[in-house]
Amino acid sequence: EDIVLQSDLYGIDYALIPAIAMQESQGCKVIPPESFNCWGFGIYGDRKIYFDSYASAIAAVAKTIKEAYIKKGLTNPTLLEDRWTPSSVGKWSYSVNFFIGKIRQLEKNYTPT
């Protein structure tokens, strides 16, 4: 719910937020303890950013994607990669796009109950 709400607030594709989390942390499986940071957000070297909750992390990630990336013309994972993880050279965006594709497949097969 938080992902959809924040995505709508900032006018971004909601699938981008979980897709980045899948790439960065296997869907929150590998994160700094008690960080709520599934996105590798501000994590490099010895630096780690911690959030109070998943909701606050999602809000920060959504706002950053809109303000620091999309508003500057970085509108898809391939363009985002150069700033999100410059050393990746295509691997990061490939994975993020892969997970967005999986989300789209789930959407097609979803039947509300």
Side-chain angles (χ1 to χ4, degrees):
E1 186 176 323
D2 289 323
I3 290 170
V4 172
L5 290 172
Q6 291 298 320
S7 296
D8 287 349
L9 177 66
Y10 290 105
I12 63 176
D13 179 1
Y14 83 92
L16 188 57
I17 295 172
I20 292 172
M22 290 300 296
Q23 164 55 27
E24 290 287 341
S25 68
Q26 299 175 23
C28 303
K29 290 181 183 176
V30 181
I31 64 174
E34 300 179 31
S35 70
F36 299 99
N37 189 344
C38 305
W39 297 270
F41 188 82
I43 296 176
Y44 50 90
D46 291 335
R47 183 173 180 212
K48 295 177 181 74
I49 291 181
Y50 288 75
F51 296 99
D52 296 339
S53 65
Y54 289 116
S56 64
I58 290 164
V61 168
K63 181 178 182 179
T64 299
I65 288 171
K66 179 64 173 199
E67 300 294 326
Y69 296 88
I70 292 175
K71 280 189 174 181
K72 294 181 179 177
L74 308 174
T75 55
N76 63 55
T78 303
L79 297 172
L80 284 168
E81 177 179 59
D82 289 340
R83 294 223 21 232
W84 197 277
T85 180
S87 64
S88 179
V89 192
K91 293 177 185 176
W92 185 88
S93 60
Y94 176 86
S95 292
V96 172
N97 282 317
F98 172 82
F99 290 116
I100 289 172
K102 290 293 185 186
I103 292 167
R104 298 292 181 241
Q105 286 176 334
L106 290 170
E107 288 173 341
K108 287 179 186 176
N109 296 324
Y110 176 72
T111 306
T113 56

